[in-house]
Amino acid sequence: MEEVSLVARWAHLYSDNKVVSEAVNFVHFGGVLLAGGLAVAADRATLRLSRAPGEGGAATWALTEIAAVHRLVLGGLAIVLASGLLQTFADLGTYLPSLIFWSKMALVAVLLGNGWVRLRAENAVRRGSAGAWPAYRRTSIASLILWFTLVLFGTILSGNG
């Protein structure tokens, strides 16, 4: 009897079981909604705050609230990564040769890099560095662009692009 690889068994289960494939898709889109939704809200708050950063309790509170989002965004990204791997393993023949797929993966890497730069700028702003505000603002703009571009690429991929 020929041994079937784990990836082949997963692909078979995913393609033959609508409940499994839809559950994985739901988890993936839910992770995007969690991570992306919170990130977009934090980016919006950052852009509003950066227009008139000010000092005092309100600005400190806003920066604390924005910083609190990071763990949830990373949690959402972990969900997206895990479910995305399951989707990829379900159809390697479609995704591995796809330019859209690899472009999306590159965008995810850029998003993570932007998040790292944003965190550094945010920490500098929280320490009182007025010179860090422009970088903090730029990373929020980049984050917005990256999140919406990722949704576009994901939409194209969901049609097996």
Side-chain angles (χ1 to χ4, degrees):
M1 180 178 216
E2 187 176 316
E3 186 176 326
V4 179
S5 76
L6 186 60
V7 172
R9 280 191 264 165
W10 169 250
H12 186 339
L13 175 65
Y14 187 90
S15 66
D16 289 350
N17 191 318
K18 190 81 166 156
V19 172
V20 170
S21 63
E22 293 303 327
V24 171
N25 289 337
F26 169 75
V27 169
H28 192 72
F29 294 132
V32 171
L33 179 61
L34 174 65
L38 288 170
V40 166
D43 292 335
R44 178 184 180 273
T46 300
L47 292 172
R48 289 177 54 100
L49 187 61
S50 71
R51 290 188 192 125
E55 299 285 330
T60 301
W61 178 84
L63 286 168
T64 300
E65 287 299 305
I66 292 167
V69 166
H70 296 304
R71 279 195 194 129
L72 293 170
V73 171
L74 288 174
L77 283 171
I79 291 167
V80 170
L81 175 65
S83 57
L85 284 171
L86 290 174
Q87 290 172 323
T88 302
F89 289 144
D91 195 359
L92 290 172
T94 295
Y95 294 116
L96 292 184
S98 170
L99 181 60
I100 296 292
F101 173 79
W102 290 110
S103 298
K104 183 179 176 188
M105 295 306 102
L107 286 169
V108 170
V110 172
L111 181 72
L112 291 171
N114 184 69
W116 182 77
V117 173
R118 176 187 167 83
L119 188 57
R120 289 181 52 142
E122 181 181 300
N123 288 336
V125 165
R126 291 181 72 168
R127 286 191 307 270
S129 172
W133 277 102
Y136 194 34
R137 183 174 171 79
R138 280 191 305 272
T139 59
S140 289
I141 293 167
S143 173
L144 287 167
I145 292 167
L146 287 164
W147 276 108
F148 282 97
T149 305
L150 280 167
V151 169
L152 171 64
F153 280 47
T155 302
I156 293 167
L157 278 174
S158 70
N160 290 322

